[in-house]
Amino acid sequence: MKGIQDYYPDHFAQCYGCGRLNEHGHQIKTFWDGEGTLTRFVPKEYHTAIPGFVYGGLLASLIDCHGTGSAALALAKDQGIELSDTNAPRCVTASLQVKYLKPTPIGGELEIKGKIKEIGKRKVIVEAELYANGVLCVVGEVISVLVPDNFGL
Amino acid sequence: MKGIQDYYPDHFAQCYGCGRLNEHGHQIKTFWDGEGTLTRFVPKEYHTAIPGFVYGGLLASLIDCHGTGSAALALAKDQGIELSDTNAPRCVTASLQVKYLKPTPIGGELEIKGKIKEIGKRKVIVEAELYANGVLCVVGEVISVLVPDNFGL
């Protein structure tokens, strides 16, 4: 299944977190799941914090990129933008808040679920919940803003 | 110069962000710089967001680990703990807030400066500022809590 990140033009697909063209990065993919959004990710063994648990900085990164991906999906839907390889909104993060409710066990797939809390013309607020084995471990909120198509060129 | 992370016992030194024993990780080092704390880091070329700028998830990770390192330094100072290879406080992050004031240019050393905003027996709040080429690009706040010595064993 294609994620929103598969539609970003090449110069927007270099991100360490979500760029399909960044061979060193996480290459996450975010898509609609009912009314919400979903990203799945399996941390590597070395993405550890205290042994047995996932590194909090990685969890923050996942929530960050899940937030911008969810925001792009929401803007496309809201503005009736038809996604194609050369036409997808691209957002960056203005602010990120992460609360670690409990240590996130390492060794399986994580699910990050998103809910669009607020949407404007250029700004989207996404609430995120991160689950390990069905248990809610981390919550977050991401404020994303749309960037111009030629940003960084 | 030794960072607080050089004093963590081995099982607390595995963290992808700051563990000296994690060969895949960032291995950051945090130390006192006058009244505040300091961490320096040079992102790799592939730690990109939009081309030309550093990936926000990495910046959040750096602020996260700088926060726990600063908290450990502050607790050691406050409680008169003499640092040694088997005796250093170790904190984890309870919550993390990051505001991206402007895109952080890639290609040089970043400085993350910390200020101890509040300190209790187990909880420390650290304010962080991240600079690239002397320009303030990101601010953050980290709430860290002390973990028991045997956590994760």
Side-chain angles (χ1 to χ4, degrees):
Chain A
M1 189 176 180
K2 273 194 167 189
I4 180 72
Q5 294 86 357
D6 293 312
Y7 296 102
Y8 294 156
D10 285 2
H11 71 288
F12 282 164
Q14 310 289 338
C15 174
Y16 185 78
C18 67
R20 66 178 181 278
L21 302 178
N22 191 323
E23 62 182 32
H24 299 280
H26 305 320
Q27 302 197 349
I28 70 162
K29 299 202 184 298
T30 306
F31 40 85
W32 287 110
D33 180 43
E35 290 296 299
T37 57
L38 181 62
T39 298
R40 295 193 182 96
F41 188 77
V42 180
K44 308 275 189 211
E45 210 177 310
Y46 53 75
H47 285 137
T48 187
I50 306 289
F53 303 107
V54 182
Y55 170 48
L58 174 70
L59 301 172
S61 305
L62 295 174
I63 286 176
D64 179 2
C65 276
H66 172 75
T68 53
S70 299
L73 281 168
L75 285 173
K77 190 179 184 182
D78 193 58
Q79 298 175 9
I81 297 168
E82 199 174 331
L83 299 174
S84 76
D85 292 351
T86 52
N87 194 31
R90 179 71 161 96
C91 296
V92 296
T93 304
S95 102
L96 168 69
Q97 174 141 35
V98 183
K99 288 185 187 167
Y100 302 92
L101 306 180
K102 56 184 72 174
T104 301
I106 204 163
E109 186 180 74
L110 305 176
E111 282 196 326
I112 306 112
K113 298 183 182 183
K115 191 175 141 190
I116 310 302
K117 185 181 171 188
E118 205 180 300
I119 181 163
K121 281 189 89 163
R122 289 191 59 236
K123 181 177 141 186
V124 183
I125 303 180
V126 178
E127 286 178 342
E129 295 181 333
L130 186 145
Y131 295 83
N133 308 318
V135 177
L136 181 63
C137 296
V138 185
V139 294
E141 187 177 282
V142 181
I143 302 178
S144 296
V145 289
L146 185 67
V147 293
D149 287 345
N150 62 353
F151 185 75
L153 278 182
Chain B
M1 188 174 180
K2 273 193 167 189
I4 180 71
Q5 294 86 357
D6 293 312
Y7 296 101
Y8 294 157
D10 285 1
H11 71 289
F12 282 165
Q14 310 290 337
C15 174
Y16 186 79
C18 67
R20 66 178 181 277
L21 301 178
N22 190 325
E23 62 183 32
H24 299 280
H26 305 319
Q27 303 196 349
I28 70 162
K29 299 202 185 299
T30 306
F31 40 86
W32 287 110
D33 180 43
E35 291 296 298
T37 58
L38 179 63
T39 298
R40 296 193 181 96
F41 188 77
V42 180
K44 308 274 188 212
E45 209 176 312
Y46 53 74
H47 285 138
T48 186
I50 307 288
F53 303 107
V54 182
Y55 170 48
L58 174 72
L59 301 173
S61 305
L62 295 174
I63 287 176
D64 179 2
C65 275
H66 172 75
T68 54
S70 298
L73 282 168
L75 284 174
K77 189 178 184 184
D78 194 57
Q79 298 176 11
I81 297 168
E82 198 174 330
L83 300 174
S84 76
D85 292 351
T86 52
N87 194 32
R90 178 71 160 96
C91 296
V92 296
T93 304
S95 103
L96 169 68
Q97 174 140 35
V98 183
K99 288 185 187 167
Y100 300 93
L101 306 180
K102 56 184 73 174
T104 300
I106 205 163
E109 187 180 74
L110 305 177
E111 281 197 326
I112 306 112
K113 298 184 182 183
K115 190 176 142 190
I116 310 302
K117 186 181 171 189
E118 204 179 301
I119 181 163
K121 280 189 90 163
R122 290 190 60 235
K123 183 177 141 186
V124 184
I125 304 180
V126 178
E127 288 178 340
E129 295 181 332
L130 185 146
Y131 294 82
N133 308 318
V135 177
L136 180 63
C137 296
V138 184
V139 294
E141 187 177 283
V142 181
I143 302 178
S144 297
V145 289
L146 185 67
V147 294
D149 287 345
N150 61 354
F151 185 75
L153 279 182

